[in-house]
Amino acid sequence: MLKLLRIEIVVVLGALLGAVSVVHAEPVIKIDGSSTVFPITEAVAEDFQIAKKGAAKVTVGISGTGGGFKKFCRGEIDIANASRPILKKEMDACKAAGVQYVEMPVAYDALTVVANPRNDWVKVITVADLKKIWEPDAQGKITSWKQVNSAWPDEPIKLYGPGADSGTFDYFTEAIVGKAKSSRGDFTASEDDNVLVQGVASDKNALGYFGFAYYNENQKKLRALAVDGGKGGIIPSVETVEDGSYQPLSRPIFIYISIKATEKPEVREFLEFYMKNASPLVKEVKYFPLPAQAYTTNLEHLNKKKLGTVFNGQPEVGVQIEELLKREASL
């Protein structure tokens, strides 16, 4: 009888503890995708969790824009970070799974081409030079700096770039080669931009590209190259992004929100917090904020459930801030 009583007590205690753990389990907001957008969303997440005093948890992964959309369209995450607009095949995958979404541009990025500081022969690089280096036909053939420009040394060129699941990879290849994902394959690839930073920083003959924030945080280790898109070499900066002169590597970056996820109060609170604090936090992590109206429009679209994308599933290069705002306002 005593043994039976002990068992009953253990069962009751277990049930009570389980109930307590369920009551106190903090809701989790799941985010994944672009490593370029990661610094912004991570900064927002940290401040939001402080403001909520531990009442909500936000996880932010970096599986790349493509990897994030795969998870998003399977309903595995609430929000996808994206360094390019959603593509037609991803729209179809989301539609097939019944995942509807709101598109929110959150900042502009200047995709930055970087060299090692000990590289003293390249200050300006043309779009034609970049194409010659990165196009598929260059694989195994363009292996030295001299082959790109006869004035440059006969030294091996070591390339570092984002992996195939990266929106930065998609955008760069579209802008430079003329077709998304069209690239040589014999380079050091990673979805983690910090790996690329370290690669270029440790090799005199290295050349790489990634989001501006990662360059800005590592200026002592890297040197940004001026990019000549036909109007002379332009260095990425606040001014050249805002006036549209840093082309073709200036681009909007986004978050995508599952409309189903917005039924959860913590997700809606997070998004409101994101849009109200985006401008200073975007600056803090060294990207370029949008005009205040853009963040207000994002929340209006959320409240009115204006679904879909203004990019029609197509990769686009050279969309300037003013044009982006016009499109979003007309959604």
Side-chain angles (χ1 to χ4, degrees):
M1 180 70 180
L2 186 58
K3 186 178 179 181
L4 204 59
L5 184 60
R6 282 178 180 166
I7 291 170
E8 288 174 351
I9 290 170
V10 169
V11 170
V12 171
L13 280 172
L16 286 171
L17 287 170
V20 169
S21 67
V22 169
V23 169
H24 292 286
E26 60 189 8
V28 177
I29 301 168
K30 296 178 181 178
I31 307 172
D32 206 332
S34 169
S35 62
T36 301
V37 185
F38 172 84
I40 302 172
T41 301
E42 178 71 0
V44 174
E46 287 176 0
D47 284 8
F48 177 73
Q49 288 172 117
I50 291 168
K52 292 292 291 179
K53 298 178 179 178
K57 182 179 180 182
V58 186
T59 63
V60 189
I62 50 169
S63 63
T65 297
F69 275 132
K70 286 172 189 171
K71 294 180 181 182
F72 184 73
C73 294
R74 291 196 296 257
E76 296 172 7
I77 57 175
D78 303 305
I79 297 169
N81 287 332
S83 62
R84 57 155 173 78
I86 190 168
L87 299 177
K88 180 66 167 58
K89 64 179 182 179
E90 293 158 345
M91 293 169 67
D92 291 343
C94 277
K95 185 176 181 180
V99 174
Q100 297 179 301
Y101 48 85
V102 176
E103 176 181 80
M104 292 189 180
V106 293
Y108 256 71
D109 175 31
L111 204 160
T112 307
V113 180
V114 295
N116 186 285
R118 290 178 294 155
N119 176 327
D120 59 3
W121 58 89
V122 186
K123 298 294 189 293
V124 177
I125 194 162
T126 67
V127 169
D129 291 334
L130 289 169
K131 182 178 181 181
K132 190 173 182 179
I133 293 167
W134 285 98
E135 64 187 349
D137 286 347
Q139 182 162 331
K141 297 176 185 175
I142 304 297
T143 57
S144 77
W145 286 95
K146 193 173 186 67
Q147 287 175 287
V148 183
N149 185 319
S150 60
W152 296 344
D154 190 14
E155 296 284 345
I157 188 167
K158 303 291 182 65
L159 298 174
Y160 295 83
D165 261 346
S166 166
T168 299
F169 175 78
D170 291 345
Y171 188 91
F172 183 86
T173 48
E174 179 77 30
I176 298 302
V177 180
K179 182 180 179 183
K181 297 189 182 297
S182 180
S183 171
R184 66 190 298 165
D186 55 343
F187 66 96
T188 300
S190 178
E191 311 297 347
D192 185 346
D193 291 333
N194 291 303
V195 172
L196 306 178
V197 167
Q198 293 308 315
V200 177
S202 63
D203 191 333
K204 181 181 178 180
N205 288 304
L207 181 76
Y209 66 92
F210 36 73
F212 182 82
Y214 288 90
Y215 157 70
N216 195 79
E217 286 296 308
N218 296 279
Q219 289 189 54
K220 292 180 180 179
K221 302 177 183 178
L222 306 167
R223 185 163 59 79
L225 301 183
V227 175
D228 184 352
K231 298 181 179 179
I234 304 291
I235 288 284
S237 69
V238 173
E239 293 74 25
T240 60
V241 169
E242 288 183 351
D243 68 17
S245 62
Y246 186 67
Q247 290 292 345
L249 297 180
S250 180
R251 59 177 179 163
I253 54 181
F254 308 83
I255 61 173
Y256 286 77
I257 300 89
S258 161
I259 202 68
K260 184 177 180 181
T262 64
E263 295 170 5
K264 296 185 279 190
E266 64 274 12
V267 172
R268 188 167 281 272
E269 283 181 47
F270 175 74
L271 293 169
E272 289 174 357
F273 186 91
Y274 200 134
M275 294 306 127
K276 288 174 182 176
N277 294 278
S279 189
L281 290 175
V282 166
K283 286 181 183 176
E284 183 181 298
V285 299
K286 312 304 180 186
Y287 284 119
F288 312 104
L290 300 172
Q293 182 57 44
Y295 301 113
T296 301
T297 299
N298 283 341
L299 287 177
E300 288 172 357
H301 286 179
L302 178 68
N303 292 329
K304 294 176 181 177
K305 294 187 178 180
K306 289 197 172 183
L307 307 176
T309 172
V310 298
F311 290 87
N312 300 314
Q314 300 299 319
E316 287 193 52
V317 169
V319 177
Q320 297 184 16
I321 293 174
E322 187 177 346
E323 169 63 18
L324 175 69
L325 299 182
K326 282 182 182 177
R327 289 191 194 185
E328 291 291 345
S330 65
L331 185 65

